Amino acid sequence: MTVTVLLFASLADCVGARELALPYEPGDTVASVRDRLTADHPRVAEFAPTLLYAVDEEYAEEDAPVPAGATLALIPPVSGG
Amino acid sequence: MLIRVTPERLDPGAAIEAVRRDEAGAIDLFLGVVRNENKGRAVDHLVYDAYPSMAEKTMRALAEEAVGRFGLGDAAVLHRTGRLEIGETSLLVAVSAGHREATFEAGRWLVHEIKRRAPVWKKEVWADGEEWIEGPESLGMERAPAAMRGS
């Protein structure tokens, strides 16, 4: 099973992808998936202080569970309008 | 309730008609428009990125909250994505209510909450470079350590 990670705007440019599939690990949380992504793409750490997260399209805290097959979106500070 | 995130041009008339009600004596319409400068620097055009499905979900939840909070007849929110030229409309918010004061208050609240929470991003493109903008009103910046907000 995998977890789908979505990236946007500055973070997508930095990583060079808008969507990644990471292997799911039992007990995964927002933070654990983000940290695995950061291990592959160290510059993600620069974004962490202002990042928000959404699991399956709902804002979620860092300790929220990420189930197998879920979509985790990493959301840099928004600037719509 | 009309909620849409789309690369197509936005039509203010469609937003107005979507919220028109026989019992609503007032409709407030807000247009966010691409400006030709930011912080003294000439802007050539903007590029909007979005997480469209979540942005629509967020905008719908906010619009429904506005209807309850301000006693609206209805609310409509449309946001454009992709490349926008100077003068084009990036955001449309229309709200209707029995009387004008509720529409003014609801429109202001709804635009602020959209800028705070909806997963949409703008990139400024200048003659000699470009930059993704981090919204000062965004929830992410609100939560960031004070030192990172440059304040």
Side-chain angles (χ1 to χ4, degrees):
Chain A
M1 291 297 287
T2 60
V3 173
T4 301
V5 177
L6 301 182
L7 307 162
F8 300 95
S10 51
L11 190 51
D13 287 354
C14 176
V15 172
R18 294 180 64 81
E19 184 172 334
L20 297 168
L22 296 189
Y24 168 77
E25 290 180 11
D28 258 339
T29 62
V30 166
S32 70
V33 176
R34 179 208 53 210
D35 291 347
R36 284 213 298 287
L37 179 73
T38 308
D40 290 341
H41 302 275
R43 286 192 60 205
V44 172
E46 298 166 23
F47 292 80
T50 56
L51 271 187
L52 297 183
Y53 307 92
V55 177
D56 292 334
E57 302 182 357
E58 296 285 350
Y59 280 112
E61 300 297 329
E62 292 195 17
D63 58 359
V66 178
T71 297
L72 170 66
L74 274 55
I75 300 183
V78 301
S79 55
Chain B
M1 183 174 274
L2 178 61
I3 307 289
R4 192 166 297 155
V5 173
T6 173
E8 306 294 325
R9 283 190 64 173
L10 302 184
D11 173 14
I16 293 168
E17 293 315 312
V19 302
R20 192 186 293 277
R21 295 288 181 279
D22 287 350
E23 63 276 18
I27 293 175
D28 177 72
L29 175 68
F30 173 83
L31 285 75
V33 178
V34 179
R35 194 175 60 233
N36 68 357
E37 64 84 30
N38 193 28
K39 296 175 180 169
R41 189 163 189 175
V43 172
D44 183 76
H45 65 273
L46 298 181
V47 177
Y48 282 87
D49 189 12
Y51 182 4
S53 56
M54 181 176 166
E56 288 189 352
K57 201 167 169 177
T58 304
M59 290 168 181
R60 182 173 300 278
L62 292 170
E64 284 171 352
E65 186 177 343
V67 167
R69 187 185 276 245
F70 299 97
L72 302 178
D74 204 348
V77 180
L78 298 96
H79 205 304
R80 196 166 156 197
T81 57
R83 176 175 170 146
L84 274 76
E85 307 300 331
I86 304 304
E88 287 197 291
T89 303
S90 53
L91 173 66
L92 277 178
V93 173
V95 296
S96 63
H99 302 280
R100 69 179 181 276
E101 290 304 336
T103 67
F104 291 145
E105 286 179 33
R108 176 186 292 268
W109 182 87
L110 196 44
V111 170
H112 174 64
E113 290 300 320
I114 289 163
K115 293 178 78 78
R116 195 164 165 258
R117 299 183 64 89
V120 179
W121 300 265
K122 66 166 72 76
K123 179 168 70 176
E124 284 183 15
V125 182
W126 317 301
D128 57 349
E130 58 182 43
E131 182 179 45
W132 287 103
I133 304 302
E134 295 184 329
E137 294 171 68
S138 66
L139 198 52
M141 294 305 273
E142 190 176 299
R143 288 188 170 193
M148 296 208 54
R149 294 196 296 263
S151 54

